[in-house]
Amino acid sequence: MAKVQHKVYVITGAAGTGKTSVANYLRHRYHMMKVITHTTRQPRPGEQNGVDYFFETPASMDKLHLLERVEYDHHLYGSSMEGLQRGWNDDRDDVIVLDTAGAITYEQQLGDQVVVIFLTVSNVRVLSKRLYARGDRQAAIHSRLHSAEYQRDLTLPVALVGKAHVIVNDNWEATQGKLDQLISDQQG
């Protein structure tokens, strides 16, 4: 009997498109394991080390065996292969939120074990409203909206065209339906 090859669902897109909401939905509805990533940024109110991220220093980040590593808004982020194995060893698919550069790296390194979901919205002005609503500081929102990384993540990268599943997240119920169909297609 062949061993089941587990997948990692990579959720990507610009800030405010609903990546965390989609990841949480997949975790709860389909019992996927959250891949906890590492970052050098400070925790937001309510975030916990080892639950939301592993909060690192630049020195501790350098000691990790990372699958991918990116700098975003002056902070380092990365994920490890050991983090992926946690879910797979528990006989579960994984879910992770990455920027588009990280999604490309995962797709290139892990091939058909990766399902990339690119989230977008039909009106980009909605994104800044969502960032304010989730409690980000005004200076951080301004910095993020004007960063090269944010601009990059607004559109599907050429490297993911034909590989990523694009979902327009304007309506949560419709988004859930699209996610359910995608999971059904992947499992079938």
Side-chain angles (χ1 to χ4, degrees):
M1 188 167 154
K3 186 177 179 185
V4 174
Q5 184 180 38
H6 292 289
K7 296 188 180 294
V8 57
Y9 287 79
V10 174
I11 316 302
T12 191
T17 55
K19 298 183 298 290
T20 301
S21 296
V22 166
N24 287 341
Y25 177 76
L26 294 177
R27 284 179 46 231
H28 291 49
R29 176 95 162 91
Y30 296 99
H31 309 289
M32 292 183 189
M33 177 73 80
K34 175 185 177 181
V35 178
I36 300 172
T37 58
H38 309 265
T39 183
T40 59
R41 78 159 169 77
Q42 292 297 307
R44 290 185 185 126
E47 288 183 330
Q48 297 176 358
N49 188 48
V51 175
D52 300 290
Y53 285 95
F54 290 110
F55 294 99
E56 308 284 352
T57 65
S60 67
M61 195 81 154
D62 285 340
K63 294 177 184 173
L64 298 169
H65 300 97
L66 299 173
L67 181 63
E68 55 84 34
R69 175 181 169 149
V70 297
E71 184 173 344
Y72 191 79
D73 199 23
H74 310 292
H75 300 290
L76 299 176
Y77 293 82
S79 58
S80 64
M81 195 63 190
E82 295 85 357
L84 293 176
Q85 290 296 337
R86 234 180 78 216
W88 296 341
N89 290 343
D90 196 29
D91 202 28
R92 295 161 64 179
D93 286 335
D94 289 327
V95 62
I96 187 170
V97 173
L98 295 172
D99 69 0
T100 56
I104 291 168
T105 299
Y106 265 59
E107 196 282 324
Q108 290 171 343
Q109 292 190 22
L110 299 174
D112 62 0
Q113 274 190 279
V114 176
V115 179
V116 177
I117 300 172
F118 179 81
L119 294 177
T120 187
V121 293
S122 54
N123 182 346
V124 295
R125 287 181 293 205
V126 168
L127 298 179
S128 63
K129 291 178 185 174
R130 289 182 180 178
L131 294 177
Y132 281 109
R134 75 180 190 189
D136 288 9
R137 292 186 340 262
Q138 187 167 350
I141 293 171
H142 180 77
S143 174
R144 178 162 279 187
L145 294 178
H146 292 90
S147 71
E149 297 88 357
Y150 176 81
Q151 295 303 315
R152 174 199 64 208
D153 289 348
L154 280 172
T155 57
L156 182 66
V158 172
L160 293 176
V161 171
K163 298 174 182 175
H165 303 270
V166 178
I167 296 179
V168 178
N169 186 19
D170 287 340
N171 173 287
W172 181 237
E173 286 183 12
T175 297
Q176 288 176 5
K178 293 171 190 172
L179 292 167
D180 293 340
Q181 184 61 55
L182 174 60
I183 300 302
S184 176
D185 294 346
Q186 292 296 315
Q187 294 175 346

